[in-house]
Amino acid sequence: MRPSGLRPLPGCGFAMIAAIFDFDGTLVSAPVWQQLIARMLRQRRNVLPVLAHLAYHYPRYPLVKLGLGNPDRLRQEWAEHMPWVLRHVPVKEARDLMQEVAREDLQPTVRPEMLERVDHHRRQGHAVILLSGALQPLLEAFAQLVDIPVALGTQLEVQDGVYTGRLVPPASYGPGKVERLRGYLETSLPQVDLARSFAYADSLSDHPVLSLVGNPVAVAPEDRLRRLAVQSGWSIIE
């Protein structure tokens, strides 16, 4: 008997169903970026690049809250510039740091009901994918803890075993998430049937991914995504 996540297509072999999970605010309730930055500052790791990142971005948040800026643009720039915090950090040192953050700071904030969803899809034979704007080494560290086989995050440029502080495009945010996902599916899972697949996310910035699948699910959604989910008839998990 074939896994229930597969179905035959005439002349095309089998199609697979994917279950695509966002990370920050969806699988975990803690703000991922804040947890990473807080740990780096506590441990005095790469302090100057971390402070530079904060100094550039944080003063703009009050303006956005007053309606004087675009929140999605600010979040995208935050994601694009996040590799700064690992500038000149050796890959091995960063990997150890990310494992600490994933295990000690993020795993305790996992939403149990979402892990149940992950297990449900796994039992159904679906392709479970963690898709996020988080830095790739952090996403991989977390995915290992919760037994998710595929982690697609923001990839980082490496030279001579050291992070340069630059990303490998695209930043996995908004439309860039779709590009990152499609690139993976085309090369590794071309048999995925997106019309029968699932996506879980909490933010309106994830609209491009949610609208890509036939079964979008808003998880503890922010107000803008909640309105869209209600208007569109999408499932909502509180």
Side-chain angles (χ1 to χ4, degrees):
M1 179 182 296
R2 64 174 181 270
S4 59
L6 297 177
R7 68 182 178 88
L9 288 179
C12 299
F14 291 99
M16 174 174 280
I17 295 173
I20 303 155
F21 289 83
D22 176 48
F23 183 28
D24 194 336
T26 302
L27 274 184
V28 297
S29 58
V32 172
W33 305 115
Q34 291 181 19
Q35 297 299 315
L36 172 59
I37 287 174
R39 179 168 287 269
M40 293 185 75
L41 290 176
R42 286 197 307 272
Q43 297 181 353
R44 297 187 176 278
R45 297 197 190 210
N46 228 29
V47 171
L48 288 180
V50 172
L51 291 179
H53 186 276
L54 294 176
Y56 182 80
H57 292 284
Y58 259 106
R60 301 164 62 193
Y61 272 94
L63 298 176
V64 168
K65 288 186 176 295
L66 292 172
L68 300 177
N70 184 325
D72 294 323
R73 180 58 187 164
L74 178 58
R75 290 174 183 173
Q76 179 156 354
E77 289 183 1
W78 180 280
E80 290 173 349
H81 297 157
M82 196 64 191
W84 290 359
V85 303
L86 292 182
R87 181 175 171 82
H88 300 319
V89 176
V91 170
K92 183 182 184 306
E93 180 182 332
R95 183 169 58 246
D96 293 341
L97 168 65
M98 298 305 177
Q99 289 173 347
E100 289 179 17
V101 175
R103 181 180 63 253
E104 299 176 19
D105 301 323
L106 296 175
Q107 191 174 22
T109 75
V110 167
R111 298 182 187 275
E113 69 276 19
M114 295 311 298
L115 275 192
E116 291 175 6
R117 288 287 179 125
V118 170
D119 289 339
H120 167 77
H121 287 291
R122 188 184 293 117
R123 291 193 300 270
Q124 294 297 310
H126 299 168
V128 180
I129 298 170
L130 186 56
L131 177 66
S132 170
L135 302 182
Q136 184 68 26
L138 177 55
L139 201 64
E140 289 177 356
F142 180 83
Q144 291 174 0
L145 291 175
V146 296
D147 196 26
I148 293 179
V150 179
L152 305 176
T154 295
Q155 297 175 293
L156 308 179
E157 184 182 79
V158 177
Q159 289 183 358
D160 300 322
V162 174
Y163 288 117
T164 67
R166 295 185 293 269
L167 62 83
V168 177
S172 188
Y173 182 86
K177 270 192 174 182
V178 173
E179 185 176 348
R180 184 87 167 89
L181 176 64
R182 285 195 180 279
Y184 171 77
L185 294 180
E186 288 173 3
T187 58
S188 301
L189 285 176
Q191 69 272 35
V192 162
D193 182 356
L194 289 173
R196 299 178 68 235
S197 292
F198 297 77
Y200 298 83
D202 70 303
S203 171
L204 187 64
S205 65
D206 291 302
H207 177 221
V209 173
L210 291 168
S211 62
L212 192 67
V213 300
N215 298 289
V217 183
V219 179
E222 64 176 21
D223 289 343
R224 296 182 301 164
L225 179 60
R226 182 182 302 278
R227 289 194 294 270
L228 176 63
V230 170
Q231 293 168 3
S232 304
W234 295 350
S235 298
I236 298 176
I237 296 176
E238 299 294 350

